[in-house]
Structures are given as C-alpha cells and as structure tokens.
Amino acid sequence: MSTIVLVIIAITCIFSYFGLNNTVLFEKYKFNVAAINNKKEYVRLISSGFLHADFMHLFFNMFSLFLFQGAVIQFFGEIGFIIIYFASMFLGNLFSLFIYKNQPWYSAIGASGAVSGVIFAAIAMAPNDISVNFLPGWLFGTLYFGYSVYMMLNPKQWDNLGHAAHLGGAFFGLVYSIALHPQLAMSNILYLGAMSLPLLYLSYEIFIRKRIG
C-alpha cells in the first residue's frame, strides 16, 4: 500500500478519534448546510471527510479505501489518487450542499464521497481484479451504493452519514477515469453500468419525482 494512502488513513483515524471524543471539534468541522451557506465555513466541505459517526463507520470507509486504492494508484499514480480522493470528497459534499440547500439543519460526516470516487475509478480500470469476501469488486461497489441510496431515500432511518456525497464522488471518479483511460473504461462499461443503477435511481428520485411533485 502506498505511503500516501497510509498517511490519509492515519490522519482520518486520528481526526475521527478526536471528533468522537470531542463534541466541540465534531460540531465545528462536520458538514452543515447553515454553517457553510450562512457563515461561509467552506472548510467543512473537506474537514467533514475526516470525521465519522462511530468506529464501524470509520472501519467500513477505510477498509473500502484499502481494497480499491491499489488499482487506482496502479493506473493513475499517487498524484492521480490524491486528485481523485480529494476532488471526489469536495464535489460529493458540494452536491450534498446543492441537494439540501433548503434544509439548513442538514449535517453529515464521513469519507464516503472520496471513497466512492476511488471505488468507481478502480472498477473502471479493473472490475474483476478486486474481490471483497469472495464478491467481485464491481458487485461490492453495487451493494455499497445500493445501501447508500436506500439510506438517503429513507430519512426515518437517517444516520448522519454523508450518503448524498456518494453520487458526486462517484461521478468524479468515473469522469476522471474516462478522461485519462477512455478505451479501458469503456471496455468495462457493463460493470460500471451495474454499479450506476443505484445512483441512477437516486437521480430519478431526486430530480424527476420532485419535479413531478
């Protein structure tokens, strides 16, 4: 595993640990619509990606990052990985800000947007070369996004996690992959299509149903 990935995981774990044990720190750096729109605290678009709801949430995101980072670094290098990780984190939270702009109370935390970008970029390059508990990587990615979409569309089960950020992060990971390796990405279009189904359904629910309603 790359040193840069180890550093990101270490910083995320340390910052998450302090956030879980310090309410003031947690509240100051989590994603919050009112704080970003009214107080212009744009640092939350990045800092929230280093906070997690609990140790299971932290483990799931960092474990997913560990599984998929190798393919991303192999095809894009460490600089490419950094671009994908942080641009996906930023755009994922920016998309959340757009979705919840009229809900100032909305808050979220987690590296979900960044990890989503890494997953999509990895699957675009090597859909069958990654396995998670005997599941092919593309199927794990599909389930990962399916769960996120379900949680986002069921507010009664809202868990304070940044599920909406998955869409923006995944979008950047896919676009970046196609831009740099178009032929390889398009050769894996069926796997990417399967992983996109939950996100396409989410888009339908957000844009089409709201417009009809």
Side-chain angles (χ1 to χ4, degrees), residues 15-92:
F15 199 69
S16 294
Y17 173 80
F18 282 110
L20 288 170
N21 291 278
N22 188 323
T23 304
V24 175
L25 178 72
F26 190 90
E27 293 296 323
K28 183 178 180 180
Y29 291 108
K30 71 179 183 180
F31 177 95
N32 177 261
V33 173
I36 296 172
N37 283 337
N38 300 333
K39 299 179 181 180
K40 312 302 180 185
E41 296 178 356
Y42 298 115
V43 68
R44 293 174 182 260
L45 295 171
I46 295 296
S47 62
S48 60
F50 292 89
L51 291 170
H52 288 80
D54 51 44
F55 287 111
M56 183 57 67
H57 180 212
L58 173 64
F59 172 78
F60 186 64
N61 270 338
M62 294 301 98
F63 180 62
S64 300
L65 176 61
F66 165 74
L67 291 173
F68 290 92
Q69 53 82 32
V72 172
I73 290 178
Q74 178 182 347
F75 287 96
F76 303 102
E78 291 187 338
I79 298 299
F81 172 84
I82 293 173
I83 292 173
I84 292 172
Y85 191 82
F86 286 101
S88 296
M89 180 186 293
F90 177 77
L91 290 178

